[in-house]
Amino acid sequence: MPNTVLMLSKETIRTMKDYYKANLKDSTPPGAHFAAKSTTFSIAAYHSGKVLFQGKEAEKEAAKWGTEKNIVSTKKNVPKSSSPLPTGITTMSLIGTDEVGTGDYFGPITVVAAFVRQDQLELLKEYGVKDSKHLTDPIIIEIAKKLIKTIPYSLLTLPNEKYNERQAQGWTQGKIKAVLHNQAILHLLNKIEPEQPEGILIDQFAEKAIYYKHIRDQPSIVRENVFFSTKAEGIHLSVAAASIIARYAFLRAMDQLSDEAGFTLPKGAGAKVDLAAAKLIKKHGVDKLGHFVKVHFANTGKAKKLSL
Ligand code: MN
């Protein structure tokens, strides 16, 4: 959230309190003289003379009371997309990438890069390709089976053993994802050679600069025409397709792991997951956990307690 902190005199703060009397909050934070709130900003004035302005119109509101010399700190709104997208990107021939499984305790991370040519966009719409968050798992499976026969793609599945190893080495999930996205793109570029996409669209999980920082030690790095956007499934069908194939692969991996466990492993990271993990520990021993789960999740501690 954008915010500005000003250092103001006691008189100014008193004038402000009167000015914002219609917006005053009943309760004030500790050490505050008053707090006010509207739909576009909130203000907290402290006895120290510091006044915090927050929200969409924080800067505008702060400008009413202070000048440059009063500013203690200021933070502007950061735009959602860190790189501007080229116009007409929606109808380009693109590689899109997305991942699944990062928030699930059980099961691997799956990352997919998918290439969708401009002349295939209509067909993919007919298949029902869209943001996978709006699709049920049975529909995703149905569409994915068609997609994998229609479009070139690269699927990477990171087994839990490998995930846990990387995590223990100090890799963040962001780094794990960035490395996998870069690899999936490289594989797919090789696969479709000599054809070249007009661009590559990554469903953004990290700012562009952070993404490249994560993969700076990789032997080969794709940089040309790479675009980042949040909610990229809604921008180009290649990302939606990648997301559907990744989800399909994740579901299949979960079926496989459930077979090995001897019972159905739940998705997500909620209370059901704790119980299933406790059952798994009792049945197969705690040493086997790393084959099925992302060990560093808080679920591990809860499951161990439950299994006692
Ligand atoms: Mn995504």
Side-chain angles (χ1 to χ4, degrees):
M1 201 184 344
N3 66 65
T4 298
V5 178
L6 299 183
M7 184 62 87
L8 297 171
S9 69
K10 288 212 160 60
E11 294 93 301
T12 310
I13 290 176
R14 270 197 292 274
T15 315
M16 284 177 72
K17 189 175 179 181
D18 190 49
Y19 180 87
Y20 292 113
K21 61 177 179 249
N23 300 98
L24 288 181
K25 286 169 71 179
D26 294 337
S27 63
T28 54
H33 181 59
F34 76 86
K37 194 175 170 46
S38 84
T39 50
T40 51
F41 63 83
S42 68
I43 296 170
Y46 293 87
H47 294 304
S48 62
K50 281 186 185 169
V51 183
L52 168 67
F53 298 83
Q54 280 185 301
K56 251 200 327 227
E57 306 216 315
E59 217 186 357
K60 191 178 133 200
E61 217 52 38
K64 287 181 186 170
W65 304 102
T67 58
E68 207 62 53
K69 67 178 186 357
N70 300 99
I71 295 175
V72 178
S73 68
T74 185
K75 193 178 130 229
K76 289 192 195 314
N77 216 353
V78 280
K80 278 218 173 80
S81 175
S82 65
S83 56
L85 299 175
T87 45
I89 191 169
T90 305
T91 54
M92 285 180 180
S93 299
L94 279 197
I95 285 179
T97 71
D98 201 7
E99 80 285 329
V100 168
T102 54
D104 297 273
Y105 182 58
F106 288 109
I109 289 181
T110 58
V111 173
V112 170
F115 180 46
V116 177
R117 284 194 313 265
Q118 186 173 37
D119 60 23
Q120 294 173 309
L121 290 168
E122 268 316 304
L123 179 65
L124 260 60
K125 270 185 215 161
E126 276 170 42
Y127 286 174
V129 175
K130 59 178 159 191
D131 187 347
S132 64
K133 284 172 204 82
H134 302 304
L135 299 169
T136 61
D137 285 343
I139 302 277
I140 285 176
I141 293 167
E142 198 187 301
I143 299 173
K145 282 181 177 168
K146 290 182 193 161
L147 280 177
I148 58 178
K149 283 187 219 143
T150 314
I151 57 169
Y153 69 97
S154 163
L155 161 68
L156 295 177
T157 300
L158 184 69
N160 291 103
E161 285 90 346
K162 194 91 187 168
Y163 176 94
N164 293 322
E165 201 181 299
R166 291 290 183 234
Q167 204 277 326
Q169 286 169 355
W171 288 36
T172 60
Q173 223 187 45
K175 181 171 170 84
I176 292 172
K177 284 192 263 190
V179 167
L180 292 171
H181 277 254
N182 181 62
Q183 276 175 5
I185 295 164
L186 280 167
H187 290 170
L188 185 53
L189 285 171
N190 278 329
K191 211 169 179 175
I192 66 174
E193 225 173 33
E195 198 171 355
Q196 296 243 328
E198 289 175 85
I200 295 160
L201 180 59
I202 297 179
D203 189 36
Q204 186 171 331
F205 53 88
E207 293 289 319
K208 186 178 181 175
I210 307 273
Y211 172 85
Y212 283 111
K213 201 176 149 197
H214 284 323
I215 60 172
R216 68 187 159 186
D217 55 356
Q218 291 296 296
S220 189
I221 299 168
V222 185
R223 292 181 185 275
E224 219 181 314
N225 288 326
V226 179
F227 305 104
F228 296 79
S229 177
T230 53
K231 303 199 169 83
E233 310 94 323
I235 293 169
H236 197 275
L237 287 181
S238 61
V239 180
S243 167
I244 288 170
I245 298 170
R247 178 81 186 163
Y248 173 59
F250 176 78
L251 293 172
R252 288 186 49 166
M254 284 293 276
D255 287 346
Q256 169 70 33
L257 285 175
S258 294
D259 280 350
E260 289 176 42
F263 60 97
T264 304
L265 300 174
K267 297 168 193 96
K272 262 195 209 165
V273 164
D274 298 336
L275 288 169
K279 188 171 166 184
L280 194 76
I281 293 172
K282 279 189 208 159
K283 215 171 156 184
H284 301 280
V286 75
D287 296 345
K288 284 273 152 58
L289 207 54
H291 175 63
F292 295 92
V293 308
K294 301 176 186 80
V295 174
H296 69 107
F297 277 35
N299 304 86
T300 297
K302 292 178 198 165
K304 279 184 185 168
K305 271 188 201 149
L306 288 167
S307 69
L308 295 175

